[in-house]
Amino acid sequence: MPETYKETIARLIAAAPFSIDPDIKMEGRPPTMASSEFLTNKEQGDWAERVVLNAINENSIEFVAIQYGRSDSMGAGDPGFADFYQKYQDELNHIGKRPDILIFRRADIPNIESMGLEDEEFIQKAVAAIEVRSSSFLANKYAVFMDERTRQAERECARLKNLILAEPLSNTLFEKSPDIHALIANATATTFRELDFRLRIWSTSEHLRTLSNHLKSLKEQIKILHKRDYLSITPKVEDLALVNRWIQYAGIRHYYLQVFFDKAYVIPFRDILEISSDPNKEDVVFSVERDIKNQGKTTIKINVQVGREILGRIDMPEHKSALKELDRGRLLFYVTFEGGKGYLDMNVLNQDIIYDN
């Protein structure tokens, strides 16, 4: 008998090379103060969610997207926030992390106003669940910039290689370190990033000083080639356990959808687990980092190009300044977003989400 979706996810969670605790308990203290950055990020996340909801609902006749994740506007420092935060922690410990969006067949919810989104039996009618993430980048411009940065570093590596292998430096390097000489001599435009040698500093002659400077410059260019050059979908390891808990609760196929300001990509949660467990793909299409922006928590960063482009274009939204006055009179200024239509690829929605097997 083939394994169910819940069983597949549970198996992948158990086999993951990270410390994913399926029984994790959330017991953190509530933050005491909101920040302008937090409010702006929340507004951007809410905007991205609206873009996805509208794109699906304006283009699909058979299916409808419904907001399911928490949409409360209460924030740290507001009256009653501590109780609200504790209830959220209790929910995470009970059913896990709710996805932002559920997709249903329209025929299954003839009366949207009477939906029972707290009813487990009703929730299980959903055909897919989507976690929406937002990122403050233009994906197209980022790709062009990073491609040119890589090409420039490769050209500079080739130039330095020619300088180092020209006489008299070539003979000097061969005498000092034949291993490094061989590495550089055999390097090509596509293999410079694979070079690894210990930087040697020589200073007893002009030739040696020049050689040392060229080797130092070469190392700096190789370092550029080693830098991550792709935009990513970034689930925290902690979240993998909480998403798994919700999947075990509801049994609905789960997807991450990353929204940029010009397009969006989608990737199955199952693929995130499979890719991040493959050592041959580490530092190729994913990396694992302790991300300062995520409170230093371990974060998986998967190249969005591994996913599918589901919104091939997004119109830039209007953005305006807003403020929030706290009880003690402090003002927080942040940015709000309105508009920004997303153009949905129906083939990706159908083939990669609705009818994904």
Side-chain angles (χ1 to χ4, degrees):
M1 187 174 182
E3 65 181 4
T4 65
Y5 180 71
K6 292 198 295 186
E7 291 169 340
T8 297
I9 297 302
R11 172 175 55 79
L12 291 171
I13 287 285
F18 316 106
S19 298
I20 302 177
D21 180 7
D23 300 317
I24 188 173
K25 292 296 181 183
M26 307 303 294
E27 299 174 344
R29 294 182 179 180
T32 58
M33 187 70 66
S35 67
S36 296
E37 182 181 14
F38 172 83
L39 294 174
T40 296
N41 288 341
K42 185 179 185 307
E43 288 288 330
Q44 184 176 320
D46 291 345
W47 164 78
E49 192 173 318
R50 290 194 300 271
V51 167
V52 175
L53 278 167
N54 293 337
I56 294 173
N57 292 336
E58 291 173 3
N59 288 278
S60 180
I61 297 174
E62 186 178 357
F63 297 94
V64 60
I66 304 295
Q67 184 182 54
Y68 178 58
R70 285 184 168 268
S71 59
D72 311 77
S73 59
M74 184 177 294
D78 291 341
F81 177 75
D83 289 340
F84 162 80
Y85 185 85
Q86 186 57 55
K87 289 179 180 178
Y88 179 52
Q89 300 301 294
D90 292 343
E91 179 179 276
L92 291 175
N93 291 332
H94 177 51
I95 66 171
K97 191 176 189 299
R98 294 187 187 209
D100 296 308
I101 293 172
L102 293 178
I103 300 179
F104 294 87
R105 295 182 185 277
R106 291 184 185 271
D108 289 336
I109 49 171
N111 185 359
I112 294 179
E113 300 300 324
S114 64
M115 291 184 309
L117 286 179
E118 303 304 321
D119 182 340
E120 181 176 346
E121 184 176 346
F122 178 79
I123 289 171
Q124 289 177 347
K125 292 182 180 180
V127 297
I130 297 177
E131 177 77 8
V132 178
R133 296 296 180 92
S134 66
S135 180
S136 300
F137 279 96
L138 293 169
N140 287 332
K141 190 168 185 178
Y142 183 92
V144 171
F145 176 86
M146 286 301 175
D147 182 68
E148 176 54 30
R149 187 186 75 170
T150 299
R151 300 288 83 78
Q152 176 60 30
E154 289 174 347
R155 288 193 293 269
E156 187 62 10
C157 284
R159 186 184 73 84
L160 290 165
K161 172 185 174 179
N162 290 335
L163 291 175
I164 292 169
L165 294 182
E167 296 299 348
L169 297 186
S170 179
N171 188 58
T172 301
L173 177 59
F174 186 82
E175 291 177 353
K176 283 289 187 179
S177 178
D179 289 342
I180 295 178
H181 186 282
L183 284 174
I184 295 175
N186 293 323
T188 66
T190 57
T191 64
F192 279 123
R193 68 179 65 240
E194 300 171 10
L195 290 188
D196 184 19
F197 59 89
R198 181 181 178 184
L199 185 60
R200 307 290 295 274
I201 304 298
W202 298 299
S203 59
T204 55
S205 72
E206 183 65 29
H207 289 157
L208 286 172
R209 287 192 291 272
T210 299
L211 177 60
S212 294
N213 288 333
H214 288 340
L215 290 174
K216 180 181 178 181
S217 296
L218 182 60
K219 286 281 284 189
E220 290 171 351
Q221 295 302 316
I222 292 171
K223 189 179 295 185
I224 291 175
L225 294 175
H226 285 168
K227 291 180 179 179
R228 181 165 55 86
D229 61 355
Y230 53 80
L231 291 171
S232 56
I233 297 173
T234 56
K236 296 189 290 291
V237 169
E238 177 183 283
D239 285 351
L240 300 182
L242 297 173
V243 170
N244 169 64
R245 181 172 293 161
W246 187 84
I247 290 172
Q248 300 308 316
Y249 161 75
I252 310 301
R253 285 180 287 109
H254 199 288
Y255 301 81
Y256 270 63
L257 199 155
Q258 189 79 33
V259 178
F260 301 98
F261 277 96
D262 57 348
K263 59 175 56 180
Y265 295 83
V266 66
I267 183 172
F269 182 67
R270 177 188 62 234
D271 288 6
I272 289 175
L273 295 176
E274 291 177 341
I275 290 169
S276 61
S277 295
D278 186 346
N280 294 322
K281 294 180 179 178
E282 186 167 12
D283 293 330
V284 179
V285 296
F286 85 92
S287 62
V288 181
E289 305 173 16
R290 293 184 65 85
D291 200 329
I292 295 175
K293 293 182 179 180
N294 282 321
Q295 299 84 47
K297 296 179 179 178
T298 302
T299 304
I300 301 168
K301 300 192 174 184
I302 297 180
N303 189 340
V304 293
Q305 298 292 339
V306 174
R308 293 293 304 279
E309 186 180 293
I310 188 167
L311 300 181
R313 173 184 149 202
I314 297 175
D315 293 337
M316 181 65 71
E318 295 182 4
H319 49 283
K320 300 178 181 179
S321 174
L323 69 84
K324 180 176 183 177
E325 181 178 341
L326 303 182
D327 286 344
R328 62 176 181 171
R330 182 187 177 196
L331 299 180
L332 295 179
F333 294 88
Y334 59 100
V335 179
T336 64
F337 303 87
E338 291 294 336
K341 179 180 178 180
Y343 296 81
L344 181 71
D345 188 324
M346 282 297 298
N347 288 330
V348 173
L349 176 67
N350 289 327
Q351 296 173 14
D352 292 79
I353 298 181
I354 302 299
Y355 299 110
D356 174 32
N357 292 318

